Amino acid sequence: MRVSLVAAALILGKATFAQSVEDGKRFLYYERYQSAKDAFQKALAGKPNDGEITFWLGQAEMGLKDSVGAKDLYQKVSTNTNDPWALICAGELELKDGKNADARNHFETAISLTKARDANVLAGVAKVNIDVPSGDANYAIEKLNQAIEREKKHVESALYVALGDAYAKLIDGGNAVTNYNNALQADPKYAAAHYKIGLIYETQRNPTQYVPEYEAAIQADPNFAPAYYRLYVHYYSRDVEKSKDYLTQYTAHADPGPLVDQANVDILYASQHFQEAIDKSKALLPNTPDAFKPHYYKLMAYSDDSLRSYNDAKTNIDTYFSHPDDSLTAKNYQEAAHIYYKGGFSQDSIFAFLRKAIAMDTLQANKDAYVQYAAALSDSLHDPVQKAYWVGQVYLMDKEPNPNDLYNWGSQLFTTADTLRARDVQATGISNPYYIKADSVFGMYIDKFPNYSVYGYYWRARANWALDTAMDKGLAVPYFEKMITTATSSKDSATFVQQIEVGLQYMIQYYFKKKDYKNALDYINKFLVYDPTNETFKHYKDVLEKYFARQTGGGGKSGK
């Protein structure tokens, strides 16, 4: 009888151990990382050196954003070369350290220890290569296909979902969705497959397809908390009341912890309870794990901005950027620029933030919006140098630029040069590079948009005139000549009268200065065609004609 009781106790102990491991995996599936950690710790207490339990416990730790805890666990078993899961742990550490060749050797050894017959080991190797950024998704696909072939009569949905994840890492949405659908064919109640399809469509910013998938995940399994969370996020900026409803459901089905706390503070901000969001953040911060703290500083900065408490907003956004979390987006940099602008803080920082936003965002439409915003701010801040830069970026970042964008850039460069010259009364030449750049840009304008060349020649002439105000070098002459010829021969010459008159006036002055009175008189006659009542040039014409009459008549004084 005693022997039977001992045997029963051993059997019960093994059953309890197995139950803890399976419970842990199930909790991981639901992204209930704390519950998973508790279950795996319970199992590991009975088998302290077990590589498989250690591996899954490490996955739970990473779900809780405790990468240090996971690393410590893996290091403890990584030297066990007889346990395939310990080798997988070692390989993950090496992938994260950039030792990809060493990691591959450990993965292959782990597979060979099981003679490539253990689908779980193959899937574990694949999971690491999918989850770690430096992992090889194609290698993961190869191993998952081997695992599916091994289990071809009873393939679990989890293998198809993992295969979909590998394709998703390769940004191959078609094959990803195909495999997620294969998972649903194997088990229509496998909510994670619907959820993963939703994630694919969400990356494509297609709510008409991702929202139904998240809803289908909940219908398949009402306990699947991640789907509630994505719907909460979706409605966060669209319908705050709906967002609250989904957050309530998420809170009910998820583990209590920092992510739930964070979401319930975020909804206060979305509901415009800004001071309450700040107060709640401050209350939670002392007991919040370090990985979750940055979000609260960002949330407080946004709330402070809404309350126009710009000093506090700056302090909090600076704290956030000193240790940002993985939720950092380009729009956070735009918000920082806004805070610095409204608070009257460093102008250099304002534009540095916007440059970071542009560099980080992947959507061209967003990049364009940041550039336009920066141009507007530079105008508001009366900073002509920044204005010239950002108006230039409007043109340079446009894949199909139009004439107005290039014209505006050249015009702003000229305006910037004029502004700097007015400020620099000693004329030290600080404005000259901007005139030179304006000349260059209007040269591009003529080349790219020849139908608008009159304006290009006109502004090249104006820029060179500004570089040669004494007209000693005649830098503007070739451009005014070309402008006058092009404009007067155009069927739309009437629209260019202002430019023509400026050009003719310049040429008259230039030739007077050169004492080339014949050319001066020619240009006066051309000018009077456009402005026949101009008394000044009528007088000059009269004087010059009398001068030439005396010259040809051979008598009298030439006069001046």
Side-chain angles (χ1 to χ4, degrees):
M1 183 66 177
R2 181 179 177 82
V3 174
S4 298
L5 286 173
V6 170
L10 289 171
I11 293 169
L12 182 61
K14 290 180 180 179
T16 302
F17 161 76
Q19 185 179 20
S20 295
V21 173
E22 291 308 310
D23 285 346
K25 290 181 180 179
R26 186 172 69 256
F27 286 131
L28 282 180
Y29 169 79
Y30 286 109
E31 296 187 8
R32 294 181 58 182
Y33 298 115
Q34 186 59 53
S35 294
K37 177 179 177 178
D38 294 342
F40 290 130
Q41 283 181 329
K42 182 178 179 182
L44 194 62
K47 296 183 72 175
N49 299 313
D50 187 90
E52 182 176 6
I53 303 171
T54 301
F55 173 80
W56 290 113
L57 178 56
Q59 299 300 301
E61 293 282 21
M62 283 185 281
L64 292 168
K65 298 188 179 181
D66 186 359
S67 57
V68 175
K71 182 177 181 180
D72 290 343
L73 282 167
Y74 288 175
Q75 284 178 333
K76 289 176 183 177
V77 299
S78 61
T79 56
N80 185 351
T81 57
N82 296 316
D83 184 334
W85 287 96
L87 292 168
I88 294 173
C89 291
E92 179 160 347
L93 291 175
E94 287 160 342
L95 270 186
K96 289 179 176 177
D97 286 341
K99 301 175 181 178
N100 291 35
D102 293 339
R104 181 66 64 88
N105 287 335
H106 277 117
F107 295 144
E108 286 297 316
T109 304
I111 293 167
S112 66
L113 286 176
T114 62
K115 299 181 180 179
R117 294 176 181 172
D118 190 327
N120 288 326
V121 168
L122 290 165
V125 168
K127 178 175 175 57
V128 171
N129 278 276
I130 294 167
D131 292 347
V132 178
S134 61
D136 186 341
N138 286 305
Y139 181 62
I141 290 169
E142 175 190 325
K143 299 309 167 189
L144 286 166
N145 281 324
Q146 289 180 22
I148 290 169
E149 181 63 25
R150 290 289 309 168
E151 304 291 305
K152 56 186 173 183
K153 291 184 179 180
H154 303 287
V155 179
E156 292 186 1
S157 295
L159 288 176
Y160 286 123
V161 166
L163 189 54
D165 291 346
Y167 280 111
K169 183 173 183 175
L170 292 173
I171 318 179
D172 184 349
N175 274 316
V177 171
T178 295
N179 281 285
Y180 296 144
N181 281 322
N182 288 341
L184 289 169
Q185 288 180 356
D187 180 2
K189 295 293 184 182
Y190 202 76
H194 282 298
Y195 173 71
K196 297 281 187 170
I197 294 172
L199 291 178
I200 293 291
Y201 289 129
E202 190 167 0
T203 63
Q204 298 169 0
R205 293 173 172 81
N206 190 345
T208 60
Q209 290 189 281
Y210 70 71
V211 169
E213 291 295 340
Y214 295 146
E215 291 171 340
I218 293 168
Q219 291 170 1
D221 185 351
N223 293 314
F224 195 74
Y228 291 113
Y229 185 82
R230 293 315 310 165
L231 288 167
Y232 145 74
V233 171
H234 168 74
Y235 286 109
Y236 183 84
S237 58
R238 294 175 172 88
D239 185 336
V240 72
E241 293 304 317
K242 258 192 173 182
S243 182
K244 285 180 184 178
D245 291 341
Y246 281 113
L247 178 56
T248 299
Q249 292 295 318
Y250 172 67
T251 303
H253 292 94
D255 282 348
L259 186 59
V260 171
D261 291 340
Q262 182 176 290
N264 278 280
V265 177
D266 280 347
I267 204 68
L268 292 173
Y269 172 81
S271 304
Q272 299 187 23
H273 298 307
F274 304 122
Q275 190 59 53
E276 192 175 348
I278 293 168
D279 295 341
K280 188 68 173 176
S281 297
K282 289 179 178 178
L284 287 167
L285 268 170
N287 297 314
T288 295
D290 288 344
F292 290 87
K293 286 182 177 179
H295 184 86
Y296 287 114
Y297 289 108
K298 178 169 67 174
L299 178 65
M300 288 192 292
Y302 275 62
S303 298
D304 287 323
D305 181 15
S306 298
L307 294 171
R308 301 183 182 180
S309 301
Y310 300 118
N311 287 326
D312 290 338
K314 177 183 181 298
T315 298
N316 283 313
I317 203 68
D318 287 347
T319 303
Y320 173 72
F321 285 134
S322 67
H323 294 92
D325 57 9
D326 54 11
S327 71
L328 173 65
T329 67
K331 290 193 179 298
N332 299 149
Y333 287 118
Q334 184 186 29
E335 172 65 13
H338 172 75
I339 289 169
Y340 269 63
Y341 168 67
K342 296 298 289 185
F345 305 120
S346 165
Q347 287 188 206
D348 288 344
S349 296
I350 292 171
F351 296 109
F353 285 134
L354 290 171
R355 287 187 181 92
K356 288 180 180 179
I358 293 164
M360 186 176 192
D361 210 307
T362 56
L363 283 181
Q364 188 60 44
N366 289 345
K367 290 176 180 287
D368 293 342
Y370 298 139
V371 170
Q372 295 284 359
Y373 179 65
L377 285 188
S378 62
D379 198 28
S380 178
L381 291 166
H382 307 292
D383 188 332
V385 172
Q386 287 288 351
K387 182 72 179 290
Y389 172 81
W390 290 108
V391 172
Q393 292 301 300
V394 170
Y395 170 77
L396 294 171
M397 292 181 65
D398 193 338
K399 291 183 179 179
E400 296 181 0
N402 60 61
N404 284 341
D405 290 341
L406 188 52
Y407 179 88
N408 289 341
W409 184 15
S411 178
Q412 183 56 50
L413 285 163
F414 187 89
T415 300
T416 295
D418 270 0
T419 303
L420 293 176
R421 171 166 286 180
R423 291 178 184 176
D424 182 28
V425 293
Q426 299 302 317
T428 59
I430 190 172
S431 60
N432 286 357
Y434 291 93
Y435 286 125
I436 293 169
K437 185 67 174 176
D439 176 44
S440 175
V441 168
F442 279 112
M444 291 167 53
Y445 185 75
I446 294 166
D447 292 339
K448 290 181 178 294
F449 307 107
N451 289 341
Y452 301 94
S453 61
V454 169
Y455 297 111
Y457 289 124
Y458 174 76
W459 284 106
R460 290 201 76 177
R462 289 284 303 274
N464 280 279
W465 188 0
L467 291 167
D468 179 27
T469 55
M471 301 182 183
D472 292 332
K473 300 175 183 177
L475 297 181
V477 169
Y479 303 112
F480 272 131
E481 286 180 335
K482 190 70 175 176
M483 184 273 293
I484 293 167
T485 301
T486 306
T488 54
S489 62
S490 169
K491 63 179 181 179
D492 299 318
S493 60
T495 63
F496 303 127
V497 170
Q498 180 182 353
Q499 288 77 20
I500 292 170
E501 288 188 355
V502 171
L504 292 171
Q505 287 180 32
Y506 174 89
M507 299 302 291
I508 292 166
Q509 293 177 61
Y510 173 73
Y511 282 116
F512 261 116
K513 186 175 179 62
K514 300 286 286 185
K515 297 184 179 180
D516 183 344
Y517 303 127
K518 183 177 185 306
N519 271 316
L521 180 59
D522 286 344
Y523 277 105
I524 288 173
N525 286 326
K526 290 177 182 178
F527 181 87
L528 290 173
V529 171
Y530 293 92
D531 187 3
T533 62
N534 189 296
E535 295 300 326
T536 300
F537 286 120
K538 285 170 67 178
H539 172 69
Y540 289 159
K541 172 181 169 68
D542 183 56
V543 170
L544 286 177
E545 285 179 340
K546 290 177 179 177
Y547 168 75
F548 285 120
R550 286 194 295 271
Q551 289 289 320
T552 56
K557 296 180 180 178
S558 63
K560 291 187 179 180

